[in-house]
């Protein structure tokens, strides 16, 4: 501050007012101080800002999932890319941590809040019975829930959500039109709100059409479990003619497992991936997939959080429904 004051020809208090956006200096002085600060390479001290109650200039992101499933999950890689893009524009850091479960995640939030480590958090994987919104309300920590549904009980939290029910209905519509009556949904982790929404929608669509050979099987999202469940359902007496996978990794592994059992894709079994990625176009046949702009999903969530940090109201924002891109892995159901 002494260096900036000397170069700008003002007092140190004027520098403090100008750099912290406080009244007490003219617009001309504020601009001159900022220009000098930029020339001298000044950046705000995160630790000092935290001690003075001005914030940490950091956003938190905790992920309670098996660590060994993250490296191949294209959705989270793209989501974080979009988040980081917006945060970089605001010179905000991203503090990322992987934990074992939601209890550990809540402990991290309490610690971050007590230590003034973050100004707000991005929350993913909403649960059907989720303690995190109540905790964040209690702490007064600004938060955006990614992938949740509108929740009137937590008006202080913003929500960015996608219509999983509508997306699942569109997939079932497409498969039903191709003659598929036995459909297995190889789902992700049980207890996640979006997993439950997809499973409920599949059951509702099956009941509406009078289908009995339809079910969901939960997994840990890994290629190993995706392949194992695929082999199990295809070796059953009442084997399905179509498989819906909750991510691209399981879909690729499942298609390979089906081929290993002598099943032709799509002549014997059709395959649909919930997430589209380069993986879906690196195998033969190319996989039909639900496509969404996951990077923009991340940007939207980050923008909503920065709006909260700027004093804006909590909002519920709906992103476009993922659309089904039909490729070579889906076709008419085989005759039985």
């Amino acid at each position: 501050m002494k260096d900036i004051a000397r170069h700008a020809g003002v007092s140190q208090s004027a520098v403090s007012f100008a750099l912290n956006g406080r009244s007490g200096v003219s617009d001309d002085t504020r601009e001159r101080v900022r220009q000098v600060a930029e020339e001298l390479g000044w950046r705000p001290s995160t630790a000092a800002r935290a001690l003075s109650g001005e914030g940490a200039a950091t956003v938190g992101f905790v992920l309670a999932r098996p660590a060994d499933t993250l490296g191949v999950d294209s959705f989270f890689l793209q989501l974080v890319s979009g988040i980081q893009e917006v945060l970089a524009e605001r010179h905000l850091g991203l503090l990322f941590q992987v934990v074992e479960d939601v209890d550990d995640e809540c402990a991290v939030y309490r610690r971050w809040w007590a230590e003034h480590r973050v100004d707000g958090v991005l929350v993913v994987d909403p649960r059907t019975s989720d303690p995190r919104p109540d905790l964040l309300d209690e702490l007064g920590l600004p938060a955006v829930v990614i992938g949740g549904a509108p929740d009137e009980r937590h008006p202080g939290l913003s929500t960015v959500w996608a219509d999983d029910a509508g997306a699942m209905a569109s997939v079932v519509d497409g498969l039903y039109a191709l003659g598929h009556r036995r459909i297995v949904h190889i789902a992700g982790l049980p207890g996640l709100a979006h997993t439950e929404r997809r499973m409920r929608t599949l059951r509702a669509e099956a009941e509406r059409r009078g289908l009995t050979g339809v079910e969901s099987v939960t997994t840990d999202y890994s290629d190993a479990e995706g392949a194992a469940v695929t082999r199990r359902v295809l070796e059953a007496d009442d084997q399905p003619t179509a498989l819906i996978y909750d991510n691209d990794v399981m879909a690729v592994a499942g298609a390979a497992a089906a081929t290993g059992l002598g099943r032709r894709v799509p002549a014997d079994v059709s395959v649909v991936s919930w997430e589209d990625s380069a993986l879906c176009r690196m195998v033969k046949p190319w996989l039909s997939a639900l496509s969404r702009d996951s990077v923009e999903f991340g940007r939207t969530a980050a923008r909503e959080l920065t709006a909260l940090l700027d004093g804006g109201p909590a909002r519920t924002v709906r992103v476009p429904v993922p659309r089904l891109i039909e490729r070579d892995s889906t076709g008419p159901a085989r005759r039985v």
Side-chain angles (χ1 to χ4, degrees), residues 53-132:
E54 293 176 11
T58 301
V59 166
F61 183 15
V62 184
L63 193 55
R65 278 202 186 185
D68 58 358
T69 67
L70 299 180
V72 292
D73 194 319
S74 63
F75 170 73
F76 276 108
L77 294 175
Q78 294 178 62
L79 184 77
V80 171
S81 177
I83 290 169
Q84 184 59 41
E85 184 179 318
V86 172
L87 297 184
E89 294 172 355
R90 295 285 298 265
H91 304 291
L92 294 171
L94 180 64
L95 183 56
F96 178 69
Q97 188 163 342
V98 178
V99 296
E100 287 293 323
D101 53 35
V102 171
D103 288 340
D104 288 343
E105 183 175 344
C106 289
V108 170
Y109 292 148
R110 291 189 183 94
R111 185 174 71 252
W112 282 353
W113 174 81
E115 297 174 355
H116 304 285
R117 295 286 301 277
V118 298
D119 297 323
V121 294
L122 294 158
V123 180
V124 295
D125 288 344
R127 265 69 174 177
T128 50
S129 298
D130 201 329
R132 295 172 297 175

Side-chain angles (χ1 to χ4, degrees), residues 14-273:
V15 172
S16 177
F17 291 152
L19 295 180
N20 289 295
R22 298 174 180 170
S23 59
V25 294
S26 67
D27 290 341
D28 288 343
T29 298
R30 190 183 311 278
E31 182 60 28
R32 186 165 72 254
V33 168
R34 288 178 175 172
Q35 286 180 357
V36 170
E38 185 68 25
E39 291 169 1
L40 295 178
W42 174 86
R43 293 293 182 273
S45 165
T46 300
R49 291 181 65 187
L51 288 172
S52 64
E54 293 176 11
T58 301
V59 166
F61 183 15
V62 184
L63 193 55
R65 278 202 186 185
D68 58 358
T69 67
L70 299 180
V72 292
D73 194 319
S74 63
F75 170 73
F76 276 108
L77 294 175
Q78 294 178 62
L79 184 77
V80 171
S81 177
I83 290 169
Q84 184 59 41
E85 184 179 318
V86 172
L87 297 184
E89 294 172 355
R90 295 285 298 265
H91 304 291
L92 294 171
L94 180 64
L95 183 56
F96 178 69
Q97 188 163 342
V98 178
V99 296
E100 287 293 323
D101 53 35
V102 171
D103 288 340
D104 288 343
E105 183 175 344
C106 289
V108 170
Y109 292 148
R110 291 189 183 94
R111 185 174 71 252
W112 282 353
W113 174 81
E115 297 174 355
H116 304 285
R117 295 286 301 277
V118 298
D119 297 323
V121 294
L122 294 158
V123 180
V124 295
D125 288 344
R127 265 69 174 177
T128 50
S129 298
D130 201 329
R132 295 172 297 175
D134 284 336
L135 173 62
L136 294 168
D137 274 348
E138 175 190 330
L139 297 176
L141 195 58
V144 172
V145 179
I146 301 173
D151 187 348
E152 295 179 357
R153 296 184 302 108
H154 300 283
L157 306 183
S158 286
T159 299
V160 178
W161 70 290
D163 185 3
D164 291 289
M168 177 60 85
S170 72
V171 174
V172 177
D173 280 341
L175 293 174
Y176 188 84
L178 290 170
H180 295 280
R181 303 296 183 263
R182 297 198 301 276
I183 302 169
V184 171
H185 168 215
I186 300 178
L189 291 167
L192 297 186
H194 65 261
T195 301
E196 299 298 329
R197 285 197 298 269
R198 296 172 191 178
M199 292 168 63
R200 277 198 310 270
T201 302
L202 180 64
R203 288 195 299 270
E205 292 294 316
E207 290 172 5
R208 185 166 69 85
R209 295 176 170 86
L211 305 181
T212 57
V214 174
E215 66 171 321
S216 294
V217 182
T218 57
T219 70
D220 65 357
Y221 284 111
S222 71
D223 56 336
E225 287 205 8
V229 172
T230 300
R231 286 189 288 268
R232 187 167 76 243
V233 299
L234 289 181
E235 290 176 329
D237 292 335
D238 193 20
Q239 59 185 274
T241 62
L243 301 169
I244 305 169
Y245 295 85
D246 261 6
N247 70 12
D248 52 345
V249 174
M250 290 199 299
V252 170
T259 300
L261 292 174
R263 309 301 196 274
R264 297 165 299 164
V265 178
D268 296 319
V269 60
S270 286
V271 170
V272 177
S273 169

Side-chain angles (χ1 to χ4, degrees), residues 315-336:
R315 304 197 316 155
T316 296
V317 178
R318 177 176 168 176
V319 300
V321 179
R323 62 187 180 89
L324 179 61
I325 298 179
E326 295 188 33
R327 299 193 179 104
D328 298 333
S329 68
T330 48
R334 70 178 184 276
R335 293 179 181 272
V336 294

